[in-house]
Amino acid sequence: MSKPVFVGLDIGASRTKVAVMDVDGALIGYAVKKSGTDFGRTASACLDISLKMAGATRSHVERAVATGYGRANVPFVTKTSKAEIGCLARGCSHYFPGALSIIDIGGQDNKIVKLDAAGRRSSFKMNRKCAAGTGAFLEEMAGRLDIPLEEMNDLARQSEEMVKLGSYCTVFSGTEVLESIRHGKKVSDIVKGIFYSVIKRVLEMDSLTDRVVMTGGVVAHNPYLVRMTEELIGREVLLPKLPQLAGAVGAALYARAGEAAAVPQPLLRRVK
Amino acid sequence: MKEETKLARKKIEATSLMNRIMADYFLDLNQASASNSRKVAWCTSVGPAELLRAMGFAVHFPENHAAMLGATRLATDLIPEANAIGYSPDICSYLTSDLGAYLKGFTPLAKAYPGIAAVPKPDVLVYNTNQCRDVQDWFAWYARELGVPLIGITSPKNVNEVTEAHVEDVTRQLEALVPVLEGIAGAPLDLARLKEVVALSRDCTELWKEVLETATAVPAPLTFFDGTIHMGPAVVLRGTPQAVEYYRVLLAELEQRKATREAAVAGEEYRIYWDGMPVWGRLRPHSELFAGLKTNVVASTYCSSWIFPAFDAEEPLRSMAKAYLELFIVRSDAYKERYLADMTKKFRIDGIVYHDAKTCPYNSNSRYGMPQRLEAETGLPYLVISGDLNDMRCVSDEQTKTNVEAFIEQLEEGK
Ligand code: SF4
């Protein structure tokens, strides 16, 4: 394959996501990995996996754009970074043109980003300096309950009677979970309560207007959260095919649009 | 797309003169206290400093001291000392850091000015609650600890229009302070001297206003971050010829820059209004963050709080009362909204950043829907950042950065 490709790297605090796009804007490769402690290495590994999936090599990369917390730690794209909220917006409006409210639940942050009819950002809100309602909260609670994170979704679905957690503090919620266990509540009911608490925390950040899209790793792995949100807000929630990739896709779109300076090819190739 | 670049902040030449004036002020204060030659009064930042100065007191401003603790990033280590004796981490972090410093026997003055060992000991503590109740509680602790008289003014809050009744009330309270202060000073109030001091405060305030308004120029020759430093004399030397002299020099320099279109932030593309307190421990990183995005924070509520158009030498006490009441922080939300809308027009603002300071609700205007109302009215986008003036445990640098970058990108898209 000799066609050029465009790469978006979303280096989040907990997961690194890479999207590879062809000239027509089709997503032809992607990868997701735990960011770990060496952002550069993880990004490099993700890049190779996604390029392989796309049937391309590093020499095919025309341009790359990085976003997310760790974007400055990726030496091969430092000159082409873009703030993550912009990439998220761009990615979502690619899938759903027009006015949107985007709910992004990430590992450390929650965001509500609003786009106007032209797909331009009209406002955005991030959670306050607090883990409530984020992926980190779910991880913490899974730890308290001593269950694997991946099982939470199925457990929540089995619940018949939800346990409500009253606090918006992660630590206090942890205590409430312990209290529920002491009172003999079912784990599935507690997990449902934990999910409910996540959605409540996110929804109280901002009002929702227009169509609602959800993105981020947390909803990608816990579709039950999406159903719960729909029930709570009383309307349909749209999901991109790969909700966790929305920011990386946005970054790749920026790369494809050529709005970011080209990555010097030799530099890109040199990275192991 | 916007590249982040490291840009050096343009140095203001007058800074060395300011440093000299401030050093003289602190050394004089220290001398007054150490030699017992003059009585020392502690005063809140918009307390009756004019009256104290006219009566010959050397005046110390604990808020200024607390800001130094914040700017030197020492506050976060000191705050827990005050927490431990019962002062909540949720209350004013100026208060808790200043108390913490006292409890630890520490002052940044000692390091900055050789010869100064401690904060000057007060003979009287004088507050005005026009800002908040915290200042009164702050001084009350020292009154108990040091056995020093505590007097002050209880101001009305949430004032929409400042009425005769308001001014009358505060004037009476000011008058009531006079005999007490005369007793401590050991001399009667000299009205002619008070008029002189008020006239000097008036001059200072006028010049400070002109200094800040140089930033209405495009590009602006001054940033909010410069303002927070250069307001020093307006805070601690109101009512003295030194402050007036200083602002003449500073103004001339800025006018010159304005004439030659010398930008404080090279390549200024966006102009931001800052509402709320500065994050003292992050002045430089914040300044660099904005400058790197070719954005200048050109105006603020905070620096403009030292503009007092009401001072009038012909009616010293009454005009002082009015000046202390017209302060932004004293006013109703309706007034504040009008004020912000006017400021954003005057300074040709592209967006507003509200600093929601965890421990200072009084200076945080983002908690009752004002940003939303103002955006609906003016169409100006806004951003709220969570932080604090002194307690860096309430600050997340990554979140601030992500928010600010995204905000500037939003402005970019909107242009
Ligand atoms: S206004 Fe805020 S910062 Fe100033 S003394 Fe009061 S609480 Fe502290």
Side-chain angles (χ1 to χ4, degrees):
Chain A
M1 160 163 182
S2 58
K3 280 201 185 135
V5 295
F6 303 91
V7 173
L9 303 98
D10 178 0
I11 298 133
S14 57
R15 297 289 187 283
T16 292
K17 288 83 63 178
V18 171
V20 177
M21 198 165 267
D22 67 12
V23 274
D24 302 319
L27 183 66
I28 52 173
Y30 57 85
V32 179
K33 256 180 173 296
K34 259 203 170 135
S35 294
T37 49
D38 188 342
F39 287 170
R41 246 180 86 175
T42 310
S44 198
C46 277
L47 177 64
D48 288 335
I49 299 167
S50 50
L51 282 172
K52 197 166 170 210
M53 182 173 169
T57 64
R58 289 187 181 218
S59 62
H60 295 116
V61 178
E62 180 85 11
R63 268 187 297 273
V65 168
T67 189
Y69 276 129
R71 69 181 193 258
N73 300 70
V74 184
F76 48 98
V77 279
T78 44
K79 285 246 174 306
T80 53
S81 70
K82 187 91 190 158
E84 59 196 86
I85 291 172
C87 291
L88 178 65
R90 181 87 178 235
C92 288
S93 91
H94 175 69
Y95 293 111
F96 308 105
L100 291 179
S101 291
I102 304 163
I103 300 174
D104 182 77
I105 307 180
Q108 312 272 321
D109 292 320
N110 293 328
K111 306 177 188 85
I112 293 189
V113 184
K114 292 187 189 172
L115 307 184
D116 64 15
R120 278 199 317 221
R121 234 175 315 155
S122 51
S123 76
F124 68 92
K125 283 259 185 77
M126 273 177 72
N127 58 320
R128 300 170 48 170
K129 190 188 163 193
C130 168
T134 66
F137 172 76
L138 285 181
E139 279 183 38
E140 165 82 19
M141 293 304 134
R144 292 275 173 142
L145 291 169
D146 204 15
I147 50 170
L149 196 55
E150 309 77 55
E151 283 177 19
M152 287 186 107
N153 191 66
D154 285 339
L155 278 165
R157 253 206 325 237
Q158 289 159 22
S159 162
E160 280 153 12
E161 200 194 338
M162 181 173 85
V163 170
K164 266 203 180 184
L165 303 177
S167 176
Y168 62 47
C169 165
T170 303
V171 175
F172 283 0
S173 297
T175 322
E176 286 183 50
V177 164
L178 290 182
E179 198 191 350
S180 304
I181 295 170
R182 267 196 304 133
H183 284 117
K185 299 284 183 200
K186 281 206 277 190
V187 173
S188 57
D189 293 343
I190 301 174
V191 172
K192 186 171 179 183
I194 290 168
F195 274 28
Y196 181 76
S197 150
V198 166
I199 298 302
K200 286 295 275 182
R201 292 297 82 84
V202 176
L203 292 181
E204 64 203 19
M205 277 164 55
D206 203 353
S207 58
L208 299 175
T209 48
D210 308 298
R211 292 166 309 155
V212 177
V213 178
M214 286 183 94
T215 61
V218 171
V219 297
H221 294 107
N222 301 288
Y224 188 69
L225 277 172
V226 180
R227 240 189 53 211
M228 206 176 213
T229 308
E230 287 182 324
E231 270 167 29
L232 268 173
I233 62 174
R235 54 192 155 133
E236 189 199 4
V237 167
L238 305 167
L239 271 191
K241 209 158 66 206
L242 297 159
Q244 197 166 11
L245 264 287
V249 165
L253 284 164
Y254 274 116
R256 179 171 156 264
E259 285 173 32
V263 186
Q265 289 293 329
L267 239 181
L268 187 64
R269 274 193 224 110
R270 228 184 294 138
V271 176
K272 291 272 163 350
Chain B
M1 102 140 235
K2 197 154 299 308
E3 296 289 337
E4 271 176 60
T5 39
K6 261 227 146 83
L7 299 169
R9 235 198 301 169
K10 189 94 185 71
K11 200 177 167 316
I12 293 180
E13 301 297 331
T15 308
S16 51
L17 174 60
M18 179 183 70
N19 291 343
R20 245 185 358 256
I21 294 175
M22 294 297 276
D24 288 347
Y25 158 73
F26 286 117
L27 292 168
D28 175 64
L29 194 56
N30 186 57
Q31 158 77 12
S33 165
S35 66
N36 269 327
S37 56
R38 266 182 301 150
K39 298 287 181 191
V40 174
W42 287 14
C43 185
T44 55
S45 65
V46 191
E50 284 73 18
L51 186 58
L52 297 168
R53 207 146 254 151
M55 296 181 83
F57 285 95
V59 190
H60 169 72
F61 296 87
E63 282 154 84
N64 171 253
H65 189 247
M68 288 173 85
L69 294 169
T72 49
R73 290 178 301 281
L74 299 163
T76 310
D77 293 334
L78 300 166
I79 290 166
E81 299 285 324
N83 299 154
I85 63 160
Y87 287 81
S88 160
D90 291 338
I91 65 165
C92 175
S93 59
Y94 268 0
L95 182 166
T96 47
S97 27
D98 190 56
L99 254 58
Y102 175 89
L103 291 165
K104 270 203 156 172
F106 173 82
T107 173
L109 293 173
K111 190 159 176 239
Y113 307 107
I116 299 184
V119 168
K121 206 179 155 308
D123 296 290
V124 63
L125 302 157
V126 191
Y127 62 83
N128 186 345
T129 62
N130 49 1
Q131 313 162 69
C132 62
R133 68 162 279 175
D134 297 49
V135 290
Q136 187 177 353
D137 291 278
W138 181 352
F139 281 27
W141 185 82
Y142 282 111
R144 289 189 295 270
E145 169 76 13
L146 303 169
V148 173
L150 172 69
I151 56 175
I153 296 161
T154 306
S155 269
K157 290 282 289 172
N158 296 323
V159 173
N160 195 24
E161 298 305 333
V162 175
T163 65
E164 273 305 302
H166 291 126
V167 178
E168 195 58 30
D169 169 17
V170 175
T171 308
R172 293 281 160 270
Q173 295 193 55
L174 274 167
E175 284 168 358
L177 299 180
V178 174
V180 185
L181 291 172
E182 285 176 335
I184 297 165
L189 169 68
D190 175 348
L191 199 62
R193 175 76 188 121
L194 181 63
K195 288 183 173 185
E196 248 174 62
V197 173
V198 170
L200 286 164
S201 271
R202 172 65 193 236
D203 291 347
C204 171
T205 215
E206 289 290 331
L207 286 160
W208 177 239
K209 181 168 187 262
E210 285 184 54
V211 162
L212 293 177
E213 288 187 355
T214 59
T216 55
V218 180
L222 179 78
T223 75
F224 159 64
F225 305 101
D226 300 318
T228 61
I229 305 295
H230 288 269
M231 65 190 245
V235 177
V236 300
L237 286 164
R238 236 164 62 211
T240 70
Q242 290 91 322
V244 175
E245 190 42 43
Y246 177 65
Y247 289 119
R248 283 217 176 91
V249 173
L250 178 62
L251 181 61
E253 182 180 342
L254 293 171
E255 288 290 356
Q256 174 62 31
R257 272 198 191 187
K258 203 171 112 180
T260 53
R261 295 179 51 82
E262 211 179 310
V265 166
E268 174 192 297
E269 276 180 35
Y270 302 101
R271 298 165 64 89
I272 297 292
Y273 186 90
W274 181 283
D275 180 78
M277 303 282 287
V279 184
W280 285 112
R282 293 290 184 272
L283 280 189
R284 179 182 284 275
H286 284 179
S287 158
E288 285 171 357
L289 172 61
F290 283 101
L293 297 162
K294 293 200 170 17
T295 299
N296 190 355
V297 183
V298 294
S300 69
T301 311
Y302 183 68
C303 293
S304 303
S305 295
W306 271 264
I307 298 173
F308 305 102
F311 281 132
D312 177 359
E314 290 315 306
E315 269 196 314
L317 279 184
R318 229 187 135 66
S319 72
M320 280 161 60
K322 191 153 184 280
Y324 306 157
L325 271 162
E326 283 179 350
L327 209 63
F328 179 86
I329 195 169
V330 181
R331 313 301 284 274
S332 67
D333 271 17
Y335 172 89
K336 287 179 179 170
E337 274 172 55
R338 267 196 322 272
Y339 173 89
L340 290 177
D342 288 349
M343 287 291 272
T344 53
K345 248 188 244 140
K346 186 175 192 171
F347 284 88
R348 294 180 245 195
I349 296 297
D350 298 305
I352 309 178
V353 171
Y354 294 84
H355 172 204
D356 185 342
K358 171 79 175 151
T359 70
C360 180
Y362 317 97
N363 272 313
S364 301
N365 293 302
S366 53
R367 297 187 180 182
Y368 294 94
M370 195 194 295
Q372 288 77 358
R373 290 195 298 275
L374 206 61
E375 184 185 36
E377 186 195 324
T378 62
L380 282 179
Y382 71 89
L383 170 72
V384 179
I385 55 170
S386 300
D388 195 54
L389 39 143
N390 267 18
D391 192 341
M392 292 308 107
R393 296 169 301 184
C394 306
V395 172
S396 162
D397 293 324
E398 265 311 317
Q399 281 218 348
T400 307
K401 196 160 169 258
T402 307
N403 271 301
V404 170
E405 285 171 350
F407 186 57
I408 303 305
E409 273 189 13
Q410 184 183 336
L411 297 183
E412 192 180 17
E413 283 172 13
K415 275 225 162 168

